[in-house]
Amino acid sequence: MRISVIGCGYLGAVHAACMAKLGHEVVGVDVDAEKVALLASGRAPFYEPGLPELLAETMATGRLTFGTDVAAVAGARVHFVCVGTPQKRGENAADLRYVDAAVDALLPHLAPGDVVVGKSTVPVGTAEAVAARVAAVQPEAVVVWNPEFLREGFAVQDTLHPDRIVYGLPPGAAGETAGALLDEVYATPLADGTPQVVTDYATAQLVKVAANSFLATKISFINAMAELCEATGADVTQLADAIGHDARIGRRFLNAGLGFGGGCLPKDIRAFMARAGELGVDQALSFLREVDSINMRRRVRMVDLAREVCDGSIVGRKVAVLGAAFKPDSDDVRDSPALSVAAQMGLQGAHVVVTDPEAVANAAQRWPDLRYAATAEEAAAGADVVLLATEWQEYRDLDPVAFGRVVAGRRIVDGRNVLDPARWREAGWVYRALGRP
Ligand code: UDX
């Protein structure tokens, strides 16, 4: 099937390549000429494992093209809207300007029977508004809401093998026909037995923010337990293992530490609260404010721990921060807990050097005042304290003995609870962690 993808960021670029992999003929459109030029030459504009290989494979078939001219979408039967919905400046609500612009750009090119598929994470009510705008220009086109649940770092796998497929359809025959067309697009994952939920617009839009709110709550729950552990001498990693054995709770997303960041969870829970307020049900989500606060407190606690191990003051101390991305296997630094800690330490008078295997370029663009190093050893040379802020495998694998020769003072704060405290202490390190004795 001929398909268009509007917006070629973390979501759209991966979606376009995966749809081509599934056998469709795909045109990806983005307003960012630089991004398009990279994609058109078969290179990924961001770090995502497996994406470069997938781009090479699918572009060689001739089924995948990229461009900046939205007129290229003409002839496609299904148009996926994959643009970002960041947080509005100075407000909790989502900024819908990119969704609006994508729909505006699409409208003149829609033909009868076309299906516009919203994949962006939006405040509930957006699908209805988009459908009204589409109906005013092309009454025989249909809007479907089809939220995306991919995780950065696993985006290709999550798109090719999703754990569920959700359609929000308008009522009536038009909705059914659009759903059937989308079933053709997703024929391969559906044939693999992927669970499918077909529902209305409101539910489909809520599914995404409800899922992200649940995940954020799970992380903040265990981080709240970490605060209790710190007050009592208990170990939050063992606590998580023990409660995680209860299948109703489950161990995943119970990793205590510096908390969540990135382009999704923080802004999604805030936008959800803002939307609930508009709907007059703000009380229903007031717990998310606490989820957000617990999360932000972890960053403060990390700075406090660093100060504690430095005998009460970080002024003039050399600090190495391992990690800049909001999570490993990504170069995304949006709302990164690691950089937030690094910046705080810098503001409080420490000499901070940040390193990351993939995210240094992005970090330097956003936080030009921080200093950066290419490797952990370089960042830690002469350091008084090392902070592990993003759990890249190469930091988990650090040898405490060899690494100890690089630093000036063997002090480490494990912000992700991934190091073996006994090994590090044996090698002469002062080891501290969030939620562990
Ligand atoms: C998330 C959702 O998982 C995904 O389904 C949705 O489509 C987009 O938002 P992503 O932002 O890629 O995906 O990252 P995720 O793997 O969920 O991690 C989010 C943050 O939580 C990271 O900063 C991570 O370090 C942190 N985290 C995760 C924890 O602190 N503890 C955990 O146990 C798990």
Side-chain angles (χ1 to χ4, degrees):
M1 195 185 301
R2 196 167 155 75
I3 285 172
S4 82
V5 175
I6 317 296
C8 295
Y10 288 99
L11 165 58
V14 174
H15 191 69
C18 288
M19 291 304 104
K21 169 83 179 171
L22 295 182
H24 304 299
E25 199 181 308
V26 185
V27 55
V29 179
D30 199 292
V31 291
D32 182 339
E34 209 177 313
K35 196 181 282 176
V36 165
L38 277 171
L39 285 164
S41 67
R43 281 172 295 162
F46 48 85
Y47 178 80
E48 182 62 46
L51 183 58
E53 295 80 2
L54 186 64
L55 282 172
E57 178 191 334
T58 50
M59 291 186 81
T61 65
R63 288 199 303 268
L64 177 60
T65 55
F66 292 95
T68 50
D69 184 1
V70 74
V73 310
R77 293 168 71 195
V78 175
H79 309 274
F80 286 98
V81 175
C82 295
V83 293
T85 51
Q87 188 174 339
K88 269 189 193 162
R89 206 170 263 276
E91 280 180 55
N92 270 351
D95 184 346
L96 292 177
R97 79 177 79 175
Y98 305 109
V99 174
D100 290 338
V103 173
D104 281 341
L106 259 180
L107 285 177
H109 305 286
L110 291 178
D114 279 8
V115 177
V116 176
V117 184
K119 290 198 84 66
S120 305
T121 303
V122 291
V124 57
T126 306
E128 293 81 347
V130 170
R133 289 172 62 205
V134 167
V137 174
Q138 180 47 266
E140 288 173 67
V142 184
V143 171
V144 174
W145 220 261
N146 169 223
E148 177 56 55
F149 306 102
L150 65 79
R151 299 160 297 165
E152 287 177 29
F154 300 91
V156 171
Q157 184 193 323
D158 285 353
T159 306
L160 290 174
H161 308 284
D163 48 22
R164 75 284 214 192
I165 293 176
V166 177
Y167 301 166
L169 301 179
E176 272 173 40
T177 309
L181 196 63
L182 212 48
D183 281 351
E184 282 181 47
V185 172
Y186 293 128
T188 307
L190 288 172
D192 291 343
T194 306
Q196 187 182 28
V197 177
V198 179
T199 181
D200 51 76
Y201 282 158
T203 308
Q205 293 165 92
L206 283 173
V207 165
K208 175 60 193 270
V209 276
N212 276 356
S213 296
F214 191 88
L215 295 172
T217 304
K218 206 171 173 191
I219 298 168
S220 276
F221 172 82
I222 200 64
N223 282 332
M225 294 305 111
E227 293 188 16
L228 268 296
C229 289
E230 282 157 16
T232 56
D235 184 327
V236 74
T237 61
Q238 292 181 332
L239 177 80
D241 289 344
I243 63 173
H245 283 304
D246 183 332
R248 294 169 303 175
I249 296 173
R251 181 63 178 80
R252 294 178 72 191
F253 266 69
L254 278 186
N255 295 320
L258 251 187
F260 58 82
C264 294
L265 299 192
K267 64 104 175 153
D268 285 353
I269 61 170
R270 292 173 194 154
F272 199 15
M273 283 186 272
R275 187 67 185 127
E278 289 167 3
L279 293 166
V281 286
D282 45 335
Q283 271 192 330
L285 297 188
S286 57
F287 74 96
L288 287 178
R289 202 168 320 141
E290 204 49 51
V291 166
D292 204 352
S293 306
I294 294 166
N295 193 52
M296 300 313 279
R297 277 209 297 276
R298 294 286 78 192
R299 303 178 184 189
V300 178
R301 176 70 182 145
M302 183 90 176
V303 176
D304 288 345
L305 268 183
R307 189 179 297 107
E308 255 176 67
V309 297
C310 287
D311 307 321
S313 173
I314 52 172
V315 177
R317 294 291 198 142
K318 285 192 73 180
V319 180
V321 176
L322 308 187
F326 84 103
K327 70 173 194 181
D329 298 314
S330 170
D331 64 357
D332 192 346
V333 298
R334 288 177 292 172
D335 202 351
S336 165
L339 286 175
S340 161
V341 166
Q344 270 308 312
M345 307 259 318
L347 286 172
Q348 294 182 29
H351 300 303
V352 183
V353 184
V354 180
T355 186
D356 190 282
E358 296 292 340
V360 164
N362 285 346
Q365 215 171 18
R366 283 209 179 204
W367 301 91
D369 294 342
L370 289 168
R371 281 178 56 214
Y372 297 92
T375 64
E377 286 73 16
E378 213 182 291
D384 297 302
V385 59
V386 177
L387 310 187
L388 196 160
T390 311
E391 69 278 30
W392 286 91
Q393 192 61 45
E394 63 180 80
Y395 303 152
R396 292 167 173 255
D397 293 341
L398 279 172
D399 171 16
V401 176
F403 199 55
R405 292 190 200 110
V406 176
V407 297
R410 295 187 177 194
R411 304 180 188 91
I412 188 155
V413 183
D414 180 0
R416 295 292 178 180
N417 287 312
V418 289
L419 302 177
D420 177 355
R423 259 188 88 209
W424 284 75
R425 286 183 179 133
E426 262 164 41
W429 289 76
V430 173
Y431 172 94
R432 294 296 299 272
L434 294 163
R436 266 171 145 180

